[in-house]
Amino acid sequence: MPTIVHGFDWPDRVVVGTVGRPGSRSFYLQVRSGSRVVSVALEKEQSAALAEKIGEILDQLMTTAGNPVSVPSGTPVELVDNEPLDQPVEPEFRAGAMTLGWDPTTSQVVIEAFPIDTADDDDVPDEPAEMLVVRVPVGTARAFAERTLEVVGAGRAMCPFCGTPMDPDGHVCPVLGER
């Protein structure tokens, strides 16, 4: 069966957001174009890595000699998006592998997300049943990366002694004991 491609070439919105309270949040990559919304479940670590790598690509483009693309060093004010995810959040799949690239013909960052691989007993990866492909211009990519890092960092406070997350109802610190 052919792969279903959830493709977005110039989306109206692309964000990472969460559902739930710190400590039990679920992360989602959500893309909207018009009334069409696609959400893909992510791990917190995937979200952070995606944002960091997008930032690296954009920073590298800024320093590349002869690059005709004007890459902003920060988020343009008109692209700041602090709104919650569009509701209801109904993920198409949980992301496993993700790829990130640059398309010089359109001056866009390209994000691809694939479902967690469900290889058969022969250990040969199956063709994915579906995938998400998002192409975003550099300003939107910068805004996406900065927002994503803010969302990732908005979780539980870290213990200053042991560095593990602290729950609102208490924390057993291996360095100091229960607090």
Side-chain angles (χ1 to χ4, degrees):
M1 185 161 83
T3 300
I4 298 168
V5 178
H6 305 283
F8 293 85
D9 289 337
W10 294 91
D12 298 329
R13 183 177 198 220
V14 56
V15 295
V16 165
T18 61
V19 173
R21 297 176 48 125
S24 61
R25 297 183 298 169
S26 296
F27 285 75
Y28 298 94
L29 169 60
Q30 190 175 76
V31 189
R32 180 182 68 214
S33 188
S35 62
R36 182 173 162 237
V37 178
V38 172
S39 301
V40 172
L42 298 175
E43 294 298 326
K44 179 179 181 178
E45 295 77 13
Q46 286 175 302
S47 304
L50 180 61
E52 289 165 6
K53 293 299 179 187
I54 287 174
E56 288 175 16
I57 287 173
L58 296 174
D59 291 345
Q60 184 179 18
L61 287 168
M62 287 176 60
T63 61
T64 302
N67 181 16
V69 179
S70 176
V71 178
S73 59
T75 298
V77 156
E78 65 275 11
L79 297 178
V80 171
D81 182 348
N82 293 321
E83 297 300 314
L85 294 171
D86 292 333
Q87 297 294 323
V89 178
E90 298 173 355
E92 297 295 327
F93 57 88
R94 176 163 290 284
M98 297 182 76
T99 64
L100 187 58
W102 172 250
D103 184 346
T105 62
T106 61
S107 300
Q108 291 177 304
V109 173
V110 181
I111 303 167
E112 296 178 334
F114 303 89
I116 294 174
D117 183 34
T118 55
D120 294 330
D121 293 335
D122 59 6
D123 289 328
V124 175
D126 296 331
E127 285 295 317
E130 56 190 325
M131 66 183 286
L132 174 68
V133 180
V134 184
R135 299 170 161 289
V136 293
V138 293
T140 302
R142 182 69 78 187
F144 172 86
E146 289 183 9
R147 174 199 163 114
T148 300
L149 292 175
E150 289 173 8
V151 167
V152 168
R156 295 176 288 173
M158 303 302 272
C159 175
F161 303 105
C162 68
T164 59
M166 297 187 302
D167 291 322
D169 58 342
H171 169 65
V172 177
C173 179
V175 175
L176 300 177
E178 190 167 339
R179 297 188 34 90

